[in-house]
Amino acid sequence: MSKKILTIQDISCYGQCSTTVALPILSHFGIETAILPSAILSTHTAGFKNFTVLDLTCEMPKIINHWIDEGIKFDAIYTGYIGDIRQFDYILECKDKLLKEDGLFIVDPAMADNGKLYPALSNAIVEGMKRITALADYVIPNITEACFLTNTPYKEEQDDEFINGLLSDLLRMGAKNIILTSVADDEESLGAVAYDGFSKISIIKEKMEKSYHGTGDIFSSVVIADILNGKDLKETLNHATDFIIDSIEATIADKNHFYGVKFEDVLNKNN
Ligand code: PXL
C-alpha cells in the first residue's frame, strides 16, 4: 500500500524548489502527498530580487484542526523551508496529532548554504530548526545548516574531525539519523554521509562544475521517497546523488535556466 506523507514548507510559485519539486518527486515514486504550506512566495529568495511573500501562519491551526477532526494520519511528516518562528509550534502539533505512532518525522532544515542563512531568514529560525531537529527521525542538513544547528563555526575546508563533530553533535541533540549533504573529500568531489550513531555510509562522487538552487530540496525528496519505499540507505544515497548529478547535466547547457535544475528530464528516466 502506498505511504502517505505531509510536507510542511513554502510554495515558491516560480523557481523549482520546495513544494514544486517535492510533490512531483514524491508522487513519481508512489507516495501520496499532502501539503501544509508555510508561505506563498512569488519566487525563491536566492537569485531573484523583489520577491513577494504571503505568510500563512494564521491558516495553519485551521487546517490542522480540520485534519484532526477528520481523523487524518500520515506515515511521515517532512518539513522544509519555514519563514516564521510561530510555525514551529504547529509543526510539533502535527507531529503529535497527525503522525502515525510508527510514522517518521523528517526535517530538512532548509535555511542556509555556503556559510550563510538565506536572505529572508533570521537567527530565530535557527533556534526553531534546533527544536524540531532534536525530535527528528531523520535530519537532512547541508554542512552550513549543520554548523548553524550545532553552533559550529562554518569553514570551507572539511576533514574527518569536522564532519564527525557535526554528526555526533546532531546525534547528541536528539536526531536519530543524520544525512549530511555537501560533504567533500577534496575540491573535485561532493556527496553525502549518513550516520545513525553506529555506522557511517559515505557516498562521494565527482563534483559538477556548477551548483544550482533547489538541489537540496530535490535530494531530500528522493531520499525520503526511497526511505518510505523501504530502500536500503546506501542505495538511497547513491540514487539521490546520481539524481542530482543527472539533473545538473540536464540543465547546464541552458544558460537561461539559472534558478533551478531540470529534474523532470531525470524523473522520466527513473522508474
Ligand atoms: O530551496 C530552499 C528554499 C525554499 N524556499 C524558499 C527559499 C529557499 C532557498 O533560498 O528561498 C522560499
Side-chain angles (χ1 to χ4, degrees):
M1 215 172 59
S2 80
K3 297 275 174 75
K4 198 184 289 190
I5 194 167
L6 166 63
T7 186
I8 309 175
Q9 52 184 320
D10 70 287
I11 299 174
S12 285
C13 296
Y14 184 82
Q16 288 180 304
C17 73
S18 50
T19 307
T20 64
V21 304
L23 297 188
I25 292 171
L26 290 162
S27 297
H28 179 86
F29 291 113
I31 314 292
E32 177 181 335
T33 58
I35 58 170
L36 184 57
S38 58
I40 298 180
L41 294 92
S42 51
T43 63
H44 59 65
T45 64
F48 290 100
K49 290 194 190 111
N50 304 324
F51 51 84
T52 67
V53 185
L54 173 66
D55 176 68
L56 292 175
T57 309
C58 295
E59 200 61 22
M60 283 187 152
K62 296 188 236 167
I63 296 173
I64 294 168
N65 287 336
H66 181 207
W67 288 347
I68 293 170
D69 288 347
E70 293 285 341
I72 292 166
K73 292 272 183 183
F74 297 98
D75 298 292
I77 292 178
Y78 155 29
T79 71
Y81 183 97
I82 300 298
D84 187 299
I85 53 162
R86 293 169 297 168
Q87 297 185 356
F88 291 103
D89 285 337
Y90 294 129
I91 289 173
L92 293 177
E93 190 179 358
C94 289
K95 179 182 180 301
D96 285 346
K97 301 190 179 148
L98 297 171
L99 189 60
K100 287 183 186 166
E101 219 162 284
D102 58 351
L104 294 177
F105 182 57
I106 304 170
V107 173
D108 177 348
M111 60 179 170
D113 207 359
N114 301 314
K116 288 196 221 111
L117 280 181
Y118 292 141
L121 301 182
S122 71
N123 273 322
I125 293 293
V126 179
E127 295 309 310
M129 290 294 187
K130 287 181 186 172
R131 279 177 71 200
I132 60 174
T133 294
L135 297 167
D137 292 300
Y138 288 86
V139 63
I140 315 178
N142 60 34
I143 297 267
T144 302
E145 289 156 350
C147 286
F148 275 108
L149 290 171
T150 59
N151 301 323
T152 306
Y154 175 78
K155 56 177 190 173
E156 303 242 316
E157 320 74 52
Q158 302 177 11
D159 52 35
D160 281 351
E161 195 186 340
F162 180 58
I163 299 299
N164 290 339
L166 292 174
L167 293 172
S168 53
D169 283 357
L170 287 163
L171 201 74
R172 210 171 307 123
M173 281 171 74
K176 293 194 187 69
N177 295 276
I178 296 124
I179 298 176
L180 184 61
T181 67
S182 63
V183 178
D185 285 338
D186 52 41
E187 282 181 9
E188 268 102 59
S189 65
L190 201 59
V193 174
Y195 184 59
D196 61 1
F198 300 102
S199 57
K200 205 165 107 177
I201 300 167
S202 294
I203 299 291
I204 309 290
K205 310 223 168 180
E206 205 178 313
K207 186 178 176 178
M208 301 298 288
E209 66 188 81
K210 233 179 137 194
S211 65
Y212 285 89
H213 190 75
T215 47
D217 302 337
I218 293 172
F219 182 88
S220 292
S221 302
V222 175
V223 163
I224 292 166
D226 281 359
I227 289 172
L228 291 180
N229 285 330
K231 263 201 189 170
D232 132 272
L233 207 48
K234 188 167 181 196
E235 208 186 323
T236 297
L237 291 192
N238 248 317
H239 181 207
T241 42
D242 284 344
F243 195 100
I244 298 301
I245 290 170
D246 292 348
S247 300
I248 293 176
E249 269 171 2
T251 313
I252 219 154
D254 185 348
K255 302 290 174 226
N256 293 323
H257 203 103
F258 66 92
Y259 47 84
V261 287
K262 301 187 183 202
F263 69 97
E264 301 85 356
D265 296 3
V266 184
L267 266 189
N268 283 336
K269 292 176 205 133
N270 264 255
N271 285 310

